[in-house]
Amino acid sequence: MNTFLTIKHIGKTFQPDKEVEVVALRDINLDIERGAFVVLSGPSGSGKTTLLNIIGGLDDATAGEVILDGKLLTGLSEVELSGIRRDHIGFVFQAYNLIPVLTVKENIEYIMKLQGRSQQECDVRCLEVTQKLDIDMLLGKLPNQLSGGQQQRVAVARAVAATPKLILADEPTANLDSKTAESLMNLMQRLNEEEGVTIIFSSHDPLVIAKAKHSIILKDGKVIADERTG
Amino acid sequence: MFRLTCRVAWASLVRRRTRSIVVVMMIAVSLWGLFTMEGIYGGMTEQMINSAIRSDSGHISIFAEGYRLDPDLSRQVNNVAKIESQLVHAPHVSSYVKRLKQDGLVATAHYSRGVSIIGVNLLAEEKHGKLQGYIFKGEFSFGRKDRGAIIGFKLARKLHVRIGSKIILSAQDSHGEVSSVSLRVTGVLKTYNMALDENAVFLAEKKARELLAVEEGVSQLAIILHNDSQVAELQQKLRSLFPSLEILRWDELYPALLQSRVMMDGFNLIASLLVFCVAALGIFGVMLVSVLERLREFGIMLAIGTRFSQIRNIVFVESFFLGFIGCGFGSLFGAGTLYFFKVKGLDLSLFSDAFDEFGMDAVIYAIIRPSYFITAFVAVSFATFLSVLIPLRVLKKSKPIEAINQV
Ligand SMILES: Nc1ncnc2c1ncn2[C@@H]1O[C@H](COP(=O)(O)OP(=O)(O)O)[C@@H](O)[C@H]1O
Ligand SMILES: [Mg+2]
């Protein structure tokens, strides 16, 4: 098995007040292969968002470590994590992912620009990705001129365009109707196969969950199922 | 990367268009006011200094020792030829004039007043201080046979004389005898040098020598230089050559004028500080609100790999855009307005005739100095920089990444 992401003994406790402690994750251990299409499911409050944030270096775990492609992410500085996110991880959030003042094309090129790629390179890659996602006619629009489904596709395009090793998508379909949700999932599945990028997404929609080949179920901050199908 | 930063910053300002325009206008209008006031006040001061230099002191005046404390005919500059030979060869000297002065009395059929009698050579004065430019009524001439007199406009008003009116001038001559001469008013001067406008009676040097029984000496030698930066140097040189004479610069003769120049600088400083505050507060308010409403947007940017320093740069660039566009418009309006008033002049007599009374020129020609714009630019630059420090602190403290999940 070609392990790409290892999560060892991850625990997370929030302390919103001095006296209050919220245990969001307890002793999570996971192995995820390169190129996997993984779903994190579980009821609301089970810790999906928290886990994705820790994997992506957006939040620190209180215990345990995250190893991404052989590199230990735990304990890295903010600037180092920022560089890893820029170069290796793509993010898709539940809604309003896009930078509102930039056009679709500029949004998609944004990370590539951060990576220092040339305009020519950005143009080529942008066209390639937007054609795959069927949004190449939206390039000149601003985010607020798009429907929710279109916005999510642009967000996926932005994430994938920068050629990350891993895409983390936190409930990317939660704000979409079921038809739009399904077509977004189909596109993500295609990208997973064609681009070979590892994708971990969270959802509590059974239709969406069914698309995954590796299903992890959380409850009360613990893994209660970790199954591979297909 | 810089282009991307500018693009995001600019697009963000355009998106909040009304707000951005309000701040830009705030800065532009306050700068416009600042420049207009600076240029007009500056013009007023320079005009007063200039008219004192042209009509009286020159850049440097030479008197006999003790003359200024006790302006008596016995205190005269006698070695005129020796001084002149120095002045003719001094490279910085543009022109000089000799004047013979004595206090005396002017009388008409109905009125009389104490005056300052000044014997001058009109041709020399014309070349020297362009005195003809101050003619208010009549002409710049003493008429045939030098029987005319040119007097200050306030004096003319008080004596109720017009062009052609007869006046009798009397004074003590060098022998201590009272002597008098009858003249006709040929011209009235408005120099905005209060002392002259109220007291001066100019007459031909030859007539003055006859009246005062003075053959050669002069009371004052006034020198104008090509460039006023050389004044102190020439003063030193003349002092070392003629230690027994009183050699004074215009600002030593008219300390109040120098004072008003110093006051003007102080005023400009305070006004610049005000503009600084307006710009800083305006930008501060807008950027603080803008940063707070974009927490989530910044959170997303940070999440996908933007560094905090890059976000900071966006905020700085936005602030600089606001400041510099405001500064640009303000400078443009200001320069335009000042140029207009520099060419056309600003006629303050429309508002009040008190200016005459204060001995100020009612028509003010604005001046435009690069320093106005440089100072304002520096003030606005500081303002743009300082005004985002707090919004940036607030941004950092509010952890934008956490805002992502608070939909
Ligand atoms: N910033 C936070 N402060 C305090 N508690 C939090 C914070 N974020 C999440 N939690 C808590 O952690 C638990 C897991 O939350 P989350 O990861 O958002 O769950 P999910 O995404 O599965 O709905 C919840 O009980 C939630 O209340
Ligand atoms: Mg969640």
Side-chain angles (χ1 to χ4, degrees):
Chain A
M1 191 172 70
N2 184 356
T3 302
F4 169 64
L5 174 69
T6 308
I7 292 161
K8 275 192 198 161
H9 306 298
I10 284 290
K12 175 72 180 179
T13 307
F14 288 105
Q15 197 160 16
D17 279 308
K18 259 207 175 121
E19 288 106 63
V20 190
E21 283 199 347
V22 181
V23 181
L25 297 173
R26 334 166 182 248
D27 195 32
I28 306 274
N29 292 284
L30 292 169
D31 280 317
I32 286 162
E33 299 100 79
R34 191 180 301 277
F37 194 57
V38 186
V39 65
L40 271 181
S41 60
S44 179
S46 57
K48 303 182 293 290
T49 299
T50 307
L51 182 57
L52 286 172
N53 284 351
I54 289 172
I55 295 172
L58 296 179
D59 203 351
D60 302 320
T62 1
E65 38 193 51
V66 176
I67 300 159
L68 176 69
D69 207 12
K71 189 167 171 68
L72 181 66
L73 299 193
T74 315
L76 291 185
S77 73
E78 185 45 51
V79 171
E80 286 170 310
L81 283 174
S82 174
I84 286 176
R85 292 200 297 266
R86 179 190 66 200
D87 295 333
H88 304 306
I89 305 178
F91 288 89
V92 180
F93 300 100
Q94 190 171 325
Y96 310 112
N97 274 285
L98 305 177
I99 301 168
V101 296
L102 298 182
T103 63
V104 166
K105 180 159 193 284
E106 287 169 327
N107 263 288
I108 292 171
E109 290 174 352
Y110 183 84
I111 304 174
M112 291 191 272
K113 290 270 176 70
L114 290 182
Q115 291 172 337
R117 302 201 200 186
S118 70
Q119 183 60 53
Q120 198 191 353
E121 216 177 327
C122 291
D123 288 340
V124 171
R125 181 71 178 145
C126 179
L127 195 68
E128 185 185 355
V129 172
T130 51
Q131 277 172 351
K132 265 188 199 173
L133 288 164
D134 202 21
I135 49 172
D136 48 333
M137 65 294 178
L138 302 177
L139 289 180
K141 303 223 171 195
L142 285 171
N144 61 10
Q145 299 170 312
L146 307 181
S147 70
Q150 288 173 326
Q151 288 191 24
Q152 288 305 74
R153 279 200 227 174
V154 175
V156 171
R158 179 180 65 192
V160 82
T163 55
K165 295 174 179 168
L166 174 65
I167 291 180
L168 300 174
D170 189 11
E171 309 216 24
T173 59
N175 284 24
L176 306 179
D177 61 70
S178 56
K179 238 184 96 187
T180 321
E182 188 175 3
S183 89
L184 185 76
M185 286 322 296
N186 288 339
L187 286 169
M188 286 177 63
Q189 205 168 14
R190 233 182 95 196
L191 288 173
N192 169 250
E193 282 159 12
E194 290 176 10
E195 306 248 339
V197 57
T198 309
I199 298 181
I200 306 177
F201 63 97
S202 69
S203 179
H204 48 243
D205 176 352
L207 279 174
V208 169
I209 295 168
K211 302 265 175 199
K213 285 173 275 181
H214 182 170
S215 166
I216 297 163
I217 304 175
L218 292 181
K219 196 181 172 198
D220 296 335
K222 279 183 291 194
V223 177
I224 56 165
D226 182 357
E227 297 167 346
R228 292 174 176 81
T229 54
Chain B
M1 191 56 228
F2 181 66
R3 277 186 57 184
L4 188 60
T5 303
C6 290
R7 170 78 183 108
V8 174
W10 179 254
S12 301
L13 291 177
V14 171
R15 185 180 162 89
R16 295 159 181 84
R17 196 173 296 126
T18 318
R19 217 187 284 167
S20 307
I21 290 174
V22 167
V23 179
V24 165
M25 288 308 283
M26 242 166 85
I27 297 170
V29 168
S30 56
L31 278 177
W32 183 20
L34 170 70
F35 293 142
T36 307
M37 273 157 75
E38 278 182 333
I40 286 171
Y41 192 8
M44 198 144 101
T45 314
E46 291 311 307
Q47 238 160 284
M48 279 160 65
I49 291 173
N50 192 28
S51 83
I53 288 173
R54 281 167 61 188
S55 63
D56 180 29
S57 66
H59 287 117
I60 295 176
S61 271
I62 303 179
F63 304 98
E65 187 160 24
Y67 174 83
R68 282 198 325 122
L69 283 178
D70 182 9
D72 190 89
L73 273 185
S74 64
R75 296 188 177 80
Q76 286 180 16
V77 181
N78 288 314
N79 41 351
V80 177
K82 218 174 131 194
I83 300 171
E84 282 186 283
S85 71
Q86 284 298 329
L87 294 181
V88 168
H89 293 111
H92 310 311
V93 173
S94 163
S95 64
Y96 63 90
V97 290
K98 297 169 280 184
R99 300 189 185 118
L100 184 62
K101 295 184 180 176
Q102 169 70 316
D103 288 340
L105 201 75
V106 65
T108 66
H110 302 284
Y111 302 92
S112 71
R113 289 188 71 85
V115 293
S116 172
I117 298 166
I118 309 171
V120 294
N121 177 339
L122 282 189
L123 230 61
E125 295 286 349
E126 192 173 333
K127 236 188 74 209
H128 174 77
K130 303 192 190 72
L131 207 59
Q132 75 282 10
Y134 292 121
I135 282 290
F136 171 58
K137 277 183 193 150
E139 51 188 33
F140 190 67
S141 149
F142 294 132
R144 273 194 318 120
K145 294 188 181 169
D146 288 338
R147 291 236 176 92
I150 296 175
I151 68 175
F153 84 100
K154 279 197 193 169
L155 181 63
R157 202 180 282 168
K158 283 185 176 139
L159 293 173
H160 296 266
V161 295
R162 287 187 235 142
I163 302 300
S165 298
K166 194 169 159 185
I167 55 173
I168 310 282
L169 211 52
S170 23
Q172 197 178 49
D173 70 14
S174 60
H175 310 303
E177 307 284 340
V178 174
S179 140
S180 60
V181 60
S182 146
L183 300 165
R184 281 189 191 279
V185 176
T186 49
V188 174
L189 278 184
K190 198 170 187 175
T191 61
Y192 303 104
N193 179 346
M194 209 161 25
L196 292 185
D197 288 344
E198 273 180 352
N199 294 315
V201 175
F202 290 94
L203 72 167
E205 187 188 342
K206 206 180 97 212
K207 280 273 176 201
R209 290 196 184 283
E210 279 171 29
L211 176 71
L212 302 174
V214 174
E215 299 225 330
E216 264 181 317
V218 299
S219 314
Q220 176 192 26
L221 252 145
I223 305 161
I224 289 181
L225 308 192
H226 292 293
N227 184 335
D228 61 8
S229 62
Q230 263 110 33
V231 171
E233 192 188 318
L234 183 67
Q235 181 192 29
Q236 280 314 312
K237 192 179 153 204
L238 291 172
R239 275 186 175 167
S240 64
L241 286 169
F242 307 104
S244 67
L245 296 174
E246 276 184 17
I247 297 166
L248 297 162
R249 299 187 310 268
W250 66 267
D251 52 311
E252 293 168 316
L253 291 165
Y254 288 92
L257 290 182
L258 183 71
Q259 201 64 32
S260 69
R261 203 186 245 182
V262 172
M263 261 171 61
M264 184 181 72
D265 290 341
F267 163 83
N268 287 349
L269 189 71
I270 291 169
S272 303
L273 276 175
L274 279 174
V275 167
F276 166 83
C277 291
V278 168
L281 284 176
I283 295 174
F284 169 76
V286 162
M287 290 311 294
L288 184 63
V289 173
S290 167
V291 157
L292 288 176
E293 27 173 60
R294 284 149 80 193
L295 274 187
R296 193 169 185 285
E297 184 181 327
F298 287 141
I300 297 272
M301 288 165 80
L302 287 170
I304 63 177
T306 316
R307 290 201 192 153
F308 187 80
S309 62
Q310 291 166 329
I311 305 266
R312 192 185 57 207
N313 291 345
I314 291 174
V315 173
F316 270 128
V317 170
E318 280 179 39
S319 167
F320 282 123
F321 276 153
L322 289 175
F324 293 149
I325 294 171
C327 197
F329 277 115
S331 302
L332 219 64
F333 296 160
T337 308
L338 287 186
Y339 184 74
F340 178 82
F341 287 131
K342 183 187 165 114
V343 175
K344 297 264 177 190
L346 171 65
D347 192 351
L348 291 175
S349 64
L350 293 174
F351 306 109
S352 157
D353 42 34
F355 292 95
D356 271 359
E357 299 305 316
F358 286 116
M360 282 193 281
D361 201 335
V363 180
I364 308 238
Y365 294 91
I367 50 174
I368 307 179
R369 290 209 172 105
S371 68
Y372 298 163
F373 302 96
I374 295 167
T375 316
F377 183 79
V378 171
V380 172
S381 304
F382 267 110
T384 54
F385 179 75
L386 293 177
S387 59
V388 292
L389 294 183
I390 291 176
L392 280 173
R393 248 184 100 81
V394 170
L395 175 62
K396 183 134 207 183
K397 280 203 168 161
S398 45
K399 306 214 171 95
I401 285 188
E402 287 183 4
I404 296 174
N405 293 312
Q406 292 155 11
V407 189

